[in-house]
Amino acid sequence: QVQLVESGGGLVQPGGSLRLSCAASGSIFSINVMRWYRQAPGKERELVATITINNGDTNYAGSVKGRFTISRDNAKRTMSLQMNSLKPEDTAVYYCNADLRRTFHINYETLWGQGTQVTVSS
């Protein structure tokens, strides 16, 4: 079974840091792009950061640029999001997302993780 599993969420004070991880498991032929999304209560899901697996190119939402860093470990099929200088408005459920192929003969599909809660509060 192919799945994405997030970890690392929790409660942190404003100005603090957290590191989220996303692990891809199962029979996977290749992963093209991985992303972090977040959804705060009452708001739409928002794209936070993107990383292209082959070349490591990254993109960030303006609201997190300079504070968050996305990275990947191709060998381990993991992706991380280092979040620094956290603000209360960063509070949300964070979701991992990936475009992957299970075999060479199957087109890319988009898979989602189950989400991990990040709460920034004093």
Side-chain angles (χ1 to χ4, degrees):
Q1 180 182 0
V2 176
Q3 59 180 351
L4 302 175
V5 179
E6 301 100 333
S7 60
L11 173 65
V12 63
Q13 292 187 344
S17 298
L18 276 178
R19 186 177 182 88
L20 305 182
S21 293
C22 172
S25 64
S27 180
I28 299 171
F29 176 74
S30 68
I31 302 175
N32 184 26
V33 178
M34 297 187 79
R35 309 172 185 89
W36 286 101
Y37 282 80
R38 67 184 181 187
Q39 188 167 22
K43 294 188 176 181
E44 293 187 355
R45 193 167 293 190
E46 170 192 24
L47 177 60
V48 175
T50 301
I51 188 164
T52 302
I53 297 304
N54 283 347
N55 60 19
D57 283 351
T58 59
N59 281 287
Y60 298 91
S63 58
V64 307
K65 195 172 293 186
R67 300 188 297 121
F68 290 12
T69 303
I70 189 172
S71 60
R72 92 285 193 217
D73 183 328
N74 291 354
K76 296 182 180 179
R77 286 185 168 164
T78 59
M79 171 182 66
S80 297
L81 186 69
Q82 178 66 40
M83 304 185 294
N84 299 328
S85 302
L86 282 162
K87 305 174 182 180
E89 51 264 43
D90 293 319
T91 296
V93 178
Y94 283 71
Y95 296 91
C96 171
N97 163 294
D99 295 341
L100 56 85
R101 280 197 293 179
R102 299 178 190 237
T103 74
F104 176 78
H105 301 286
I106 299 177
N107 290 334
Y108 279 98
E109 62 182 289
T110 299
L111 211 62
W112 290 87
Q114 82 287 352
T116 185
Q117 177 70 46
V118 171
T119 303
V120 185
S121 175
S122 55

